[in-house]
Amino acid sequence: MVQRREQEGRARTRQADIAKAAGLSQATVSMVLSGRPSARISEETRQRILELSGSLGYSANPAARRLAGGKNRILGVFTYEPTFPIAGLDQYYPFLLGIEAEAEDLHQNLLLFTSASGKGRARSIYADGVNQLGIADGSILLGRGEDRDEVARLAHEGYPFVYIGRREIKGADISWVTADYESATYEVVSRLAALGHRRLLYVGVTDPEEPNIDRFAGFSRAVEEYALETTVIRPADDADVVEQIGDELKVGATAIVIETPEDGARVFKAVKALGLDVPGQVSVAVLGDMAIPRARKQTWSGFGMPFGEIGAEAVRVLAELIIDPSVGPRHVKLPCNPRPGRTIGEASSGRQPTTQQ
């Protein structure tokens, strides 16, 4: 994480100071000090954070008071793609819930920007050279397919913003909040190794971006630590993966690790076409949440995304940047939620795919 620069003559205690003193993540400290319950935080840890906050002279939630002096008391939300709530799907909706709840706690209004570029045209922050987000004191950016040059321009102009999702922008260090994909993936592969799986098939995307790179880093770390055998395939979006998966299972792969939830459906469909039982004959892990109807129960194994917590933390980081621009840029990774599911089991031997006719 980039070191934050104090303004001259200032010595205000921040949550980062408490986190450092306690040997904890800033996300954990922030959750306790904001009064948000979490089953992952023990009572002992909570009391230690509260005691340290008192001894270090931390003023609880100063952002709400100091943000009141902002230009407009408006926080913007801008997306590069139409990822806002779609009826029946559970994808970006939880991001918005977290953003809204935290903005309300800080007594800020939210303004949704959907770009004025026109139908069928790529979304853009700028119109006629003017930053359209300027009406807001600062903004949260999210969505894939971003124009990285204009994100860099926004940073260079000093406009406060936070990206949801890690973004490495050439020529600019920006603030972002994301899930800790690497650690979560490492834990998934560690579980497979503990269940006796020695050969894994990894199904990834053809053009990996930062979240996929982080997932693969966690996969590679676990593979090396447990001395596992692996094959990595990155099929095109429209490719039929039945044959590729079948070939790997024939030579001894006992588990499939799917890099993105978007690939989950076609991989499960391919396994079914091969006539294999999950997890009796082959284990399948999905590295994240799928966009599925919320009424359906999520039964796959892997990990879940802390969508709401990411949204809330993005607002907290944005508030800090608005109050004191010298604190940025900030990089925050939040832990994912383990998902035991029903698609991982003990490794079995002697399986043979039998493609259904």
Side-chain angles (χ1 to χ4, degrees), residues 122-142:
R123 295 187 175 191
S124 176
I125 291 171
Y126 293 89
D128 299 323
V130 177
N131 172 15
Q132 300 179 88
L133 310 182
I135 191 174
D137 297 331
S139 294
I140 293 171
L141 277 53
L142 71 162

Side-chain angles (χ1 to χ4, degrees), residues 32 38-47:
V32 170
S38 174
R40 296 197 304 268
I41 302 175
S42 68
E43 179 61 21
E44 179 182 354
T45 297
R46 193 181 75 85
Q47 288 298 330

Side-chain angles (χ1 to χ4, degrees), residues 302-317:
F303 60 80
M305 295 282 292
F307 291 112
E309 293 175 22
I310 289 175
E313 183 66 16
V315 173
R316 289 191 283 268
V317 172

